[in-house]
Amino acid sequence: DGGDNNVRSRAVDAVSLTVGSGTYLGISAAQTAIYTESSLNIAGGNTFAYTLSDYSKAVTVKGTISQTGGLLMSGLSE
C-alpha cells in the first residue's frame, strides 16, 4: 500500500501529472485530492481521487486533461 493515511488539504499538488499503464493511484484528501497547474494525463492504470469536503473538487486541473486509456474516478467520499 505505501500510504501514510494522513488526510491533507491537497494530496497531490504538482505542475503536471501522468498516470501510466499498470499504475494504481488511490487518493483522498480533506479538500482537493489531485491539483495540477499544467496538465493531467491518464494513459492507463486506475486512478481514484476523493475529497472529504462538500465545497471542494476531487480533481482540479488548471490546464489540460487528456485520457488515452485507463480509468479515472473522482467524487465525494463520506
Side-chain angles (χ1 to χ4, degrees):
D1 138 304
D4 63 14
N5 296 323
N6 289 324
V7 176
R8 296 183 173 89
S9 61
R10 286 186 182 164
V12 174
D13 191 342
V15 173
S16 66
L17 176 66
T18 298
V19 179
S21 180
T23 302
Y24 177 90
L25 181 61
I27 301 171
S28 66
Q31 293 180 2
T32 304
I34 298 174
Y35 177 90
T36 67
E37 282 292 327
S38 175
S39 63
L40 173 61
N41 303 303
I42 306 293
N46 297 305
T47 303
F48 302 92
Y50 298 101
T51 180
L52 303 175
S53 170
D54 287 337
Y55 306 104
S56 296
K57 294 179 182 177
V59 178
T60 300
V61 178
K62 295 296 184 179
T64 59
I65 298 174
S66 83
Q67 185 171 2
T68 57
L71 171 70
L72 171 62
M73 292 184 69
S74 65
L76 177 65
S77 177
E78 295 184 15

